[in-house]
Amino acid sequence: MVSDGSWRFDRMVDVQSDPYLLDHVVEGQPVFPAAYLVGLMTQSAHRVLPRCQVLGVRNVRFVQAARFKDRQALQFSVTAECVEPDRIAVGISSSMDPPRAGFPRIHRTHASGDVRMGERVEQPARFQRLDFSGASDYAELYRLPREIQHGPAFLAGLRYRRPAPDQLLAVVAPPGRSELGWQPDPDAPGWPATLLNAILHVAFSLGVLARERTVLPLELASGELHAIPRGEVQVFARRTAAEEGKQTFHVASWDTQGRPVALFRGFAVQEVP
């Protein structure tokens, strides 16, 4: 529903309507991925300003995970409002039936942030393709931590290197090496969640390796997506801060021709006690 520069989307979500959730399990429960929340933000912003392109996101907060306990359905609500000519404020929440009749529905806020809109400028190639021969299999990182399990819909990482304790290099590809690329529908609005998830997961993996603890997404200071390639993407994650169980990363990625794909600043995760 669109009216007066605002947009609202409501949809029931469960593991039957969105079976990929069964491939993203945290502590035994399917969880809606944080990167997919960012994807929803960009899609809703594009609905408000369909003639513009999504340039970036800012001040993203991951408030509470959307868990599908006992396969119960959640009614997702995404609201987007044009607060400036090139900025859309987005909020994502959900509601679910109460455990017993006569009680009010349970409401939870999952994420909020700003989306920058405008006209994308093509970026020239400025990265070199790295030699990953002899690198380790990324499947090792999918097994860490044990509390989080990934299925085929999220197995994008191929190879990785750890040149320094606070750095991680990786190669990612569309899950299942899909010939359709990261965005099967080229006309789909917003950013492809599969690509965002694959890139941010490299920083997530570094966070786990650095402390050998389970971590959950907390916030994202800013993000830019310059291009959506079809094939492999090289990713570099660097830890910039670590204090009181919180780790912060910068993540850069580029395609096989050295063209920038995405840059994320201030991606913070919180260690689970």
Side-chain angles (χ1 to χ4, degrees):
M1 180 176 62
V2 182
S3 64
D4 298 329
S6 63
W7 184 88
R8 180 185 175 92
F9 170 76
D10 293 284
R11 175 176 178 262
M12 295 300 294
V13 178
D14 57 32
V15 296
Q16 284 77 35
S17 63
D18 296 73
Y20 61 85
L21 294 170
L22 294 173
D23 286 345
H24 191 261
V25 177
V26 180
E27 296 180 337
Q29 295 179 3
V31 174
F32 200 82
Y36 280 44
L37 293 173
V38 177
L40 281 178
M41 290 181 183
T42 65
Q43 293 168 23
S44 62
H46 189 271
R47 297 288 187 184
V48 177
L49 296 176
R51 296 182 180 179
C52 297
Q53 294 178 311
V54 177
L55 300 182
V57 295
R58 288 180 179 173
N59 303 320
V60 176
R61 300 286 183 266
F62 303 109
V63 181
Q64 189 175 16
R67 300 175 183 271
F68 294 83
K69 185 178 181 180
D70 300 326
R71 301 197 174 191
Q72 189 169 14
L74 299 180
Q75 180 171 317
F76 266 69
S77 295
V78 183
T79 58
E81 182 179 3
C82 186
V83 293
E84 293 179 5
D86 60 350
R87 182 169 68 91
I88 309 294
V90 184
I92 302 175
S93 61
S94 73
S95 64
M96 61 183 292
D97 292 331
R100 291 185 295 275
F103 286 80
R105 289 181 65 83
I106 300 172
H107 297 268
R108 292 189 173 94
T109 299
H110 301 300
S112 64
D114 295 333
V115 182
R116 293 189 303 109
M117 307 295 291
E119 184 176 351
R120 184 181 295 122
V121 177
E122 186 173 350
Q123 298 288 320
R126 63 174 187 264
F127 295 94
Q128 292 184 349
R129 181 175 176 84
L130 302 177
D131 180 13
F132 271 83
S133 58
S136 302
D137 190 333
Y138 203 92
E140 301 173 14
L141 301 185
Y142 284 120
R143 291 193 286 267
L144 297 172
R146 295 179 182 177
E147 292 82 1
I148 301 178
Q149 291 90 41
H150 295 90
F154 293 91
L155 299 181
L158 302 179
R159 298 174 295 281
Y160 82 94
R161 281 180 176 175
R162 196 179 181 189
D166 290 338
Q167 299 177 2
L168 191 64
L169 283 164
V171 175
V172 299
R177 303 302 296 262
S178 171
E179 296 181 357
L180 298 176
W182 297 100
Q183 194 165 15
D185 181 2
D187 297 323
W191 295 353
T194 51
L195 178 59
L196 303 183
N197 188 76
I199 295 173
L200 289 175
H201 194 279
V202 178
F204 177 89
S205 297
L206 178 56
V208 174
L209 287 170
R211 297 290 185 87
E212 297 185 355
R213 298 282 297 274
T214 301
V215 298
L216 294 177
L218 187 63
E219 58 191 18
L220 175 62
S222 67
E224 302 167 5
L225 186 68
H226 301 290
I228 304 174
R230 290 186 55 82
E232 292 185 0
V233 173
Q234 298 191 351
V235 185
F236 173 66
R238 176 173 61 90
R239 188 171 65 170
T240 59
E243 56 183 352
E244 298 181 353
K246 176 182 175 181
Q247 301 181 62
T248 305
F249 307 90
H250 283 2
V251 190
S253 59
W254 56 96
D255 65 12
T256 55
Q257 282 75 48
R259 295 172 296 194
V261 171
L263 176 63
F264 296 100
R265 299 179 179 87
F267 176 54
V269 299
Q270 182 74 41
E271 296 175 13
V272 177

